């Protein structure tokens, strides 16, 4: 067990290092940050001086060496715009995004699992068709657009909820729903497919012939066996929420999470901040994957930690 | 099948119950602001959170929307006439062509209680011109060589050469408290101390910034006591928050929203669009082809259809009438397709490809404007290839004179309201964004150091005339700043684009 986790962690470190390296190289080729930082009227001498002060006039290998040395000391450098340690700027914004993503994911699962199971129990029924249509809608609708429509309906027309910003729980309702819709659609379909497969298995027939209540047949036997695909998909979706959906949704709802920071830092080409953010996000996603891996034996005891 | 039904029913009930809990809870809350007897707080939505409060370091409009109410310079800008007026200096005079004498205002205190003296001025100016302090706006003060304390309430500022724009530059040079800065040099990133009408109370990162009227302010007390800034990036959400009464004021609204907002006020903005043309090499080197391009664009249609009329056409120059160097005798090139075609024929243009570089998303409807311009040029007979680049790549192209494309679209903001800013950037052959020969260099340099305002204006009018006939760019449109506000807010947006909360009041 310990050995298994250790090996997984080692793999995680390699992944995070690889992502960081890739981003390091990418940031160096997307353009000159000095041009973005300085006003248009700045002179060539100003630009050279700033490039020197930021240390980006050095050969890329030297920069990379400094970056790696820094990372081993937990130092990603100072954000060029905020003039504060980049890692703490990034970490400061993380809890909010994690909270919102967690709520959205819980919301998605609460609806997706029952709906998927029901559709699988009665394939081609009206409920199945409605669920399929709705989940396709969830997958296809652009979430920034959905967010704006929800604001229009629930804030501007019905006045039930605030449009944007942070405060009590009411401020989280619209962003969480907007964020949940896409994973909800995807997970519902996965649950349905996985359940359809399981319900055809002989062990289901056995369970039923034992005279077991249908509810327990479905929940304790079929659903548990379908668990691996559902959990894997959910983990993947959670990663996508943090590294993807949060970016648009936080901008739409004016929220102080890591997503809006990603947009700003890329626009400003704030290299240290981009690197710190990538590191933080990559770490989150690797950890999620690790946790997901560790739940597998629960669903299928034949899968031992090896 | 009976069993199936019971399972379905249980699960369905669960789904519906969850749904009910969620929607039911939503219905319970109310978001309407509580009625207050006398409103003393204004909530303002700006697009983005400032990156810092170090006003001497950053070039950041979101920061200025906050700090322009907190810090002040020796001179202030008149929001209507765009002329410098007394601020922390009560009067100034020139000792000689490179030395200026400033008499400082007495009885002024910083928001931390420290008195304002010449030491603060010397410290602030030295800090910003120090090459080791990597200020992004140092270029605005490159002409300042030194500053000397003459007395407790008098300083001399020495420039590298004669600089007629020094007073305007000083409206951008904010004075900081030497004692506070020396005690804590990093604190300014999150809380700046100035002499202005409001002091910073708090900054909750990601959420809001709160200001409060400073009781010891030397000037007129502002009408509104508390200010809260919120950061809402998405334009539509900012408008929605205003409509919902969650904020009282929302900056940078789109023309499309105007009809649905409670109240809207506009001012001429600072951004002029322009299409720079390559006058040093390639097909467009021939002035006739550049003139033809100027005749080919129907700016009126662009202003009306893209900006719903919230844009003004540049009158043969990218200046507002309040700028130094504005030539009232110039008129915009009329839209004349026949003339454009005729000029192209005279120049012997045979449909050689013309590269037109643009970017999208930096300015309001820049991409749409580029598409419209390209289509109009094609209609006139230009063989235009549009090449859209990411902003930073586009900047590299704009700044590289040796590889200047035939045409490149940009927006130009002249934040010192002086023709020199524009000409030294886009016309002077050594300017960072120039693809123009050195024919006007001498006049531009002469005008830059001419201390006589009348002679200076004359020089600029002469340059503007020459540029009209031998254009460096096609003059575009000036987009109006649109501010949305609640019905009870009284405010007129300023011509200098600053957000002056101290000029706001409630009805």
């Amino acid at each position: 067990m310990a050995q298994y986790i250790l090996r997984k962690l080692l793999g995680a470190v390699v992944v995070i290092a690889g992502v960081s390296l890739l981003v390091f190289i990418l940031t160096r080729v997307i353009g000159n940050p000095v041009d973005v930082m300085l006003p248009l009227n700045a002179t060539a001498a100003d630009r050279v001086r700033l490039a020197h002060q930021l240390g980006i006039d050095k050969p890329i290998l030297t920069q990379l060496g400094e970056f790696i040395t820094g990372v081993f000391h937990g130092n990603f450098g100072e954000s060029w715009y905020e003039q504060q340690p980049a890692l703490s700027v990034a970490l400061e914004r993380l809890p909010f995004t994690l909270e919102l993503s967690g709520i959205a994911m819980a919301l998605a699962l609460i609806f997706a699992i029952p709906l998927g199971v029901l559709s699988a129990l009665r394939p081609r029924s009206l409920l199945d068709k409605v669920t399929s249509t709705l989940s396709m809608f969830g997958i296809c609708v652009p979430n920034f657009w959905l967010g704006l429509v929800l604001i229009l309906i629930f804030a501007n027309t019905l006045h039930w909820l605030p449009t944007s910003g942070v405060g009590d729980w009411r401020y989280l309702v619209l962003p969480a729903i907007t964020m949940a819709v896409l994973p909800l659609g995807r997970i519902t379909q996965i649950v349905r497919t996985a359940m359809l497969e399981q319900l055809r298995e002989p062990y289901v027939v056995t369970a039923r012939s034992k005279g077991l209540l249908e509810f327990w047949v479905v929940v304790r036997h079929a659903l548990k066996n379908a668990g691996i695909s559902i959990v894997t998909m959910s983990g993947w979706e959670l990663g996508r929420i943090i590294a993807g959906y949060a970016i648009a949704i936080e901008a739409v709802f004016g929220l102080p999470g890591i997503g809006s920071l990603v947009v700003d830092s890329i626009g400003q080409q704030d290299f240290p901040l981009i690197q710190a953010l990538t590191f933080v996000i990559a770490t989150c996603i690797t950890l999620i994957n690790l946790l997901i891996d560790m739940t597998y034996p629960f669903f299928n005891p034949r899968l031992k930690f090896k | 099948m009976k069993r199936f039904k019971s399972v379905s029913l249980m699960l369905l009930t669960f789904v519906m119950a969850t749904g009910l809990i969620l929607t039911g809870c939503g219905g319970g809350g109310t978001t309407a602001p509580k009625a207050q007897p006398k409103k003393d707080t204004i909530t303002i939505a700006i697009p983005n959170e400032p990156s810092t409060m170090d006003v001497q370091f950053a070039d950041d409009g979101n920061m200025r929307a906050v700090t322009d109410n907190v810090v002040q310079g020796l001179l202030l800008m008149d929001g209507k006439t765009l002329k410098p007026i007394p601020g922390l200096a009560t009067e100034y005079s020139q000792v000689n062509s490179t030395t200026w004498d400033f008499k400082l205002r007495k009885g002024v205190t910083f928001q931390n209680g420290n008195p304002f003296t010449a030491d603060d001025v010397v410290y602030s100016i030295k800090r910003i011109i120090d090459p080791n302090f990597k200020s992004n706006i140092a270029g605005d003060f490159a002409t300042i060589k030194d500053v000397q304390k003459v007395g407790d309430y008098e300083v001399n500022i020495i420039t590298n050469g004669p600089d007629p724009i020094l007073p305007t530059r000083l409206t951008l040079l904010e004075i900081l408290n030497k004692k506070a800065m020396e005690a804590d040099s990093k604190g300014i990133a999150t809380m700046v101390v100035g002499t202005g009408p409001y002091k910073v109370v708090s900054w909750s990162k990601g959420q809001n910034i709160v200001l409060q009227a400073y009781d010891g302010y030397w000037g007129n007390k502002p009408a509104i006591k508390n200010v809260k800034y919120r950061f809402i990036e998405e334009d539509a959400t900012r408008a929605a928050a205003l409509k919902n009464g969650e904020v009282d004021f929302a900056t940078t609204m789109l023309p499309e929203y105007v009809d649905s907002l409670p109240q809207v006020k506009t001012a001429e903005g600072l951004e002029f669009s322009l299409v720079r043309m390559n006058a040093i090499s390639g097909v467009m080197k021939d002035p006739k082809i550049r003139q033809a391009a100027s005749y080919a664009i129907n700016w009126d249609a662009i202003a009306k259809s893209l900006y719903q009329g919230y844009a003004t056409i540049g009158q043969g120059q990218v200046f507002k009438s309040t700028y130094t160097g504005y030539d009232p005798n110039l008129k915009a090139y009329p839209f004349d397709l026949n003339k454009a075609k005729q000029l192209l024929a005279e120049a012997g243009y045979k449909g050689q490809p013309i590269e037109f570089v643009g970017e999208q998303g930096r300015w309001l409807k820049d991409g749409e404007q580029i598409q419209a311009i390209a289509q109009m040029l094609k209609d006139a007979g230009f063989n235009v290839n549009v090449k859209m680049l990411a902003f930073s790549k586009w900047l590299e192209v704009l700044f590289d004179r040796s590889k200047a494309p035939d045409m490149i679209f940009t927006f130009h903001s002249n934040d010192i309201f002086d023709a020199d800013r524009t000409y030294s950037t886009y016309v002077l052959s050594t300017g960072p964004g120039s693809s123009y020969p050195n024919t006007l260099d001498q006049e531009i340099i002469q005008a830059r150091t001419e201390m006589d305002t009348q002679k200076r204006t004359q020089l600029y009018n002469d340059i503007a005339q020459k540029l009209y006939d031998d254009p460096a760019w096609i003059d575009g449109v000036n987009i109006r700043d649109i501010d949305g506000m609640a019905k009870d807010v009284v405010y007129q947006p300023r011509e200098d684009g600053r957000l002056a909360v101290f000029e706001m009041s409630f009805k």
Side-chain angles (χ1 to χ4, degrees):
Chain A
M1 173 90 181
Q3 210 184 0
Y4 173 83
I5 296 178
L6 203 70
R7 208 171 54 233
K8 281 279 171 188
L9 276 176
L10 216 66
V13 170
V14 173
V15 169
I16 296 169
V19 169
S20 301
L21 186 67
L22 196 64
V23 169
F24 181 89
I25 295 165
L26 281 179
T27 50
R28 263 64 184 179
V29 297
I30 53 174
N32 185 352
V34 169
D35 291 343
V36 181
M37 283 180 92
L38 290 178
L40 286 183
N41 61 304
T43 61
D46 287 341
R47 289 173 211 284
V48 170
R49 204 190 65 224
L50 184 62
H52 180 68
Q53 278 161 339
L54 297 176
I56 49 175
D57 55 344
K58 294 177 196 161
I60 188 154
L61 282 179
T62 316
Q63 289 184 52
L64 184 62
E66 286 174 356
F67 170 66
I68 293 171
T69 320
V71 170
F72 276 110
H73 293 89
N75 176 13
F76 284 78
E78 278 199 351
S79 156
W80 293 342
Y81 285 79
E82 302 206 19
Q83 297 177 284
Q84 285 171 35
L87 190 61
S88 61
V89 171
L91 287 175
E92 203 174 46
R93 300 289 199 99
L94 185 63
F96 182 86
T97 301
L98 289 185
E99 185 192 345
L100 183 62
S101 314
I103 295 172
M105 203 58 219
L107 209 58
L109 288 174
I110 286 172
F111 285 92
I113 293 175
L115 284 174
V117 170
L118 285 180
S119 304
L121 285 176
R122 315 177 107 191
R124 284 183 291 280
S125 66
L126 181 66
L127 177 85
D128 185 29
K129 282 176 188 152
V130 172
T131 307
S132 286
T133 314
L134 285 181
S135 57
M136 277 318 284
F137 172 80
I139 293 169
C140 298
V141 68
N143 48 22
F144 60 91
W145 176 83
L146 181 70
L148 289 174
V149 170
L150 291 179
I151 289 176
L152 192 69
I153 297 172
F154 291 98
N156 279 357
T157 311
L158 297 171
H159 300 288
W160 288 358
L161 296 162
T163 57
S164 56
V166 277
D168 55 29
W169 62 271
R170 290 179 300 119
Y171 287 81
L172 288 174
V173 176
L174 293 183
I177 292 177
T178 312
M179 215 176 234
V181 165
L182 216 164
L184 172 59
R186 279 223 185 88
I187 297 170
T188 308
Q189 302 221 318
I190 285 291
V191 173
R192 180 180 178 275
T193 316
M195 282 302 283
L196 274 177
E197 265 171 32
Q198 295 300 331
L199 287 170
R200 276 198 291 267
E201 294 287 322
Y203 73 84
V204 174
V205 181
T206 314
R208 278 182 189 149
S209 58
K210 277 196 303 187
L212 207 59
L213 260 176
E214 181 69 12
F215 183 79
W216 295 120
V217 174
V218 171
V219 173
R220 201 182 279 162
H221 292 278
L223 189 57
K224 191 177 168 191
N225 277 295
I228 290 193
S229 347
I230 299 172
V231 167
T232 307
M233 188 66 186
S234 307
W236 194 62
E237 279 296 318
L238 188 57
R240 285 179 56 126
I241 289 182
I242 296 171
Y245 313 153
I247 292 174
I249 291 169
E250 285 175 7
V252 166
F253 290 98
L255 299 172
I258 207 163
S260 43
L261 199 60
V262 167
V263 179
D264 294 347
S265 63
I266 294 176
Q268 295 171 327
Q269 297 196 324
D270 191 338
F271 289 178
L273 190 53
I274 295 176
Q275 274 146 10
L277 282 167
T278 324
F279 176 79
V280 168
I281 292 173
T283 309
C284 277
I285 291 176
T286 330
L287 284 180
I288 290 171
N289 284 335
L290 193 60
L291 286 176
I292 298 280
D293 277 359
M294 292 175 62
T295 63
Y296 286 171
F298 168 77
F299 296 108
N300 187 349
R302 277 173 298 184
L303 291 172
K304 292 267 164 52
F305 293 115
K306 276 178 201 154
Chain B
M1 281 321 261
K2 204 179 161 201
R3 274 184 188 158
F4 257 52
K5 260 191 186 134
S6 65
V7 179
S8 312
L9 259 176
M10 279 171 80
L11 288 171
L12 248 186
T13 323
F14 179 61
V15 170
M16 282 174 63
T18 324
L20 271 177
I21 291 167
L22 281 169
T23 50
C25 289
T30 56
T31 53
K34 284 181 193 123
Q36 285 170 343
K38 177 88 176 85
K39 224 173 154 183
D40 63 356
T41 301
I42 189 164
T43 307
I44 298 174
I46 55 177
N48 281 296
E49 181 166 26
S51 47
T52 172
M53 281 207 196
D54 191 340
V55 289
Q56 293 201 328
F57 170 76
D59 174 34
D60 175 355
N62 291 293
M63 175 194 75
R64 297 207 69 98
V66 177
T67 55
D68 279 344
N69 299 288
V70 179
V71 291
Q72 298 179 311
L74 288 179
L75 300 174
L76 303 176
M77 185 57 71
D78 185 306
K80 277 200 190 76
T81 61
L82 300 187
K83 295 282 173 278
I85 52 173
L88 291 177
T90 47
E91 55 184 299
Y92 60 95
S93 56
Q94 271 190 271
V95 180
N96 57 49
S97 66
T98 55
T99 307
W100 300 64
D101 181 75
F102 290 83
K103 301 263 191 303
L104 306 183
R105 194 176 293 276
K106 289 174 184 163
V108 174
T109 55
F110 285 95
Q111 290 135 6
N112 58 12
N114 291 342
F116 159 75
T117 67
D119 291 330
D120 300 306
V121 178
V122 172
Y123 172 83
S124 302
I125 296 179
K126 289 207 159 147
R127 180 174 186 255
I128 204 164
I129 62 172
D130 177 2
N132 292 320
F133 175 58
K134 39 188 175 178
S135 171
N136 292 340
I137 53 170
D140 284 336
F141 314 107
T143 56
I144 300 177
K145 189 173 161 195
D146 197 16
V147 53
Q148 286 161 358
K149 178 178 174 179
V150 179
D152 277 348
Y153 293 97
E154 190 176 355
V155 296
N156 278 347
I157 295 177
I158 295 114
T159 56
N160 289 317
D163 180 15
I165 319 170
L166 184 74
T168 311
R169 295 185 196 284
L170 292 178
T171 65
L172 299 169
L173 203 164
E174 314 294 0
I175 302 300
L176 305 173
N177 183 212
K178 184 186 180 197
K179 272 189 191 156
M181 290 298 295
E182 281 176 350
D184 176 11
S185 66
K186 285 259 169 188
I188 188 171
T190 50
M191 188 165 292
V192 65
V193 172
T195 58
Y198 287 97
K199 62 179 177 189
V200 182
V201 176
S202 66
W203 182 356
S204 314
K205 277 281 162 91
Q207 304 187 16
N208 57 57
I209 293 175
V210 176
L211 306 184
Q212 191 184 55
Y214 170 47
D215 289 333
Y217 179 51
W218 59 270
N220 293 330
K221 300 269 181 302
I224 300 174
K225 190 157 181 271
N226 305 300
V227 193
K228 185 172 165 185
Y229 292 89
R230 283 186 46 193
F231 327 117
I232 310 178
E233 192 166 354
E234 169 59 39
D235 301 319
T237 313
R238 214 157 55 248
L242 173 63
K243 282 188 266 186
N244 219 22
E246 289 166 45
V247 302
D248 305 291
F249 196 101
T251 64
T252 37
M253 293 283 90
L254 304 187
E256 287 82 353
Y257 301 160
V258 166
D259 292 336
S260 69
L261 297 175
Q263 191 193 173
V264 161
K265 287 278 171 65
T266 69
E268 265 189 352
L270 297 181
E271 303 278 6
F272 274 90
S273 64
L274 63 85
V275 182
R276 192 193 76 186
M277 297 181 282
N278 187 347
I280 47 176
S281 62
V283 194
M284 304 209 80
K285 200 178 167 195
D286 186 340
K288 278 195 175 150
I289 296 188
R290 278 176 277 132
Q291 285 173 7
S294 300
Y295 281 113
I297 313 297
N298 186 350
W299 289 107
D300 195 46
I302 289 176
K304 285 206 176 97
S305 59
L306 276 187
Y307 298 99
Q308 321 217 333
Y310 288 96
T312 321
I313 299 170
Q315 293 301 310
Q317 54 209 318
V318 286
F319 304 140
K320 302 208 268 184
S321 58
T322 37
Y323 289 8
T324 306
Y326 175 81
D327 184 348
N329 298 318
L330 278 182
K331 288 282 166 281
Y333 267 91
F335 170 53
D336 190 339
L337 217 48
N338 292 331
K339 182 92 181 166
K341 285 177 180 163
Q342 183 199 328
L343 281 165
L344 276 186
E346 281 174 27
Y349 177 68
K350 296 275 188 300
Q352 296 94 316
I354 286 173
E355 190 182 34
F356 181 22
V357 173
E359 55 62 64
Q360 187 158 22
R362 187 79 178 182
W363 293 281
L364 182 62
K365 297 191 183 174
D366 44 9
E368 290 89 333
Q369 218 186 114
I370 290 165
Q371 295 303 331
I373 293 167
Q375 188 53 50
M376 289 167 182
L377 287 170
K378 279 178 191 158
D379 291 346
F382 286 88
N383 177 15
V384 183
N385 298 319
V386 179
K387 189 170 159 194
M388 297 296 263
L389 297 177
F391 183 66
S392 49
K393 283 283 167 203
W394 167 88
L395 274 175
E396 280 178 10
V397 173
L398 185 69
F399 291 145
D400 192 348
R401 183 176 169 94
S402 64
K403 291 189 205 128
D406 298 311
M407 302 177 109
I408 180 167
F409 178 90
T410 179
F411 265 90
H412 172 54
S413 169
N414 189 328
D415 47 9
I416 52 169
F417 321 126
D418 190 286
D420 178 59
R421 168 62 49 92
T422 309
Y423 295 149
S424 333
T425 308
Y426 289 112
V427 184
L428 194 68
S429 61
T430 53
S434 165
S435 60
Y436 202 76
N438 60 6
T439 43
L440 292 171
D441 283 12
Q442 207 187 339
E443 269 184 284
I444 294 170
I445 290 164
Q446 192 189 342
R448 183 190 285 172
T449 49
E450 174 57 63
M451 300 305 285
D452 183 308
T453 314
Q454 221 171 353
K455 273 190 206 159
R456 204 164 169 254
T457 309
Q458 191 50 51
L459 276 167
Y460 281 136
N461 289 355
D462 193 53
I463 296 172
Q465 291 284 351
K466 286 177 180 160
L467 273 177
Y468 188 85
D469 297 327
D470 190 357
W473 59 72
I474 311 173
D475 304 307
V477 288
N478 171 250
I479 302 171
R480 292 189 77 85
D481 289 338
I482 306 176
D483 285 332
M485 47 195 99
K487 279 207 167 63
D488 58 351
V489 175
V490 185
Y491 180 63
Q492 174 53 49
R494 293 161 59 104
E495 290 291 315
D496 59 0
R498 293 191 185 201
L499 185 69
V501 183
F502 52 89
E503 290 174 0
M504 294 181 188
S505 61
F506 287 116
K507 261 177 205 152

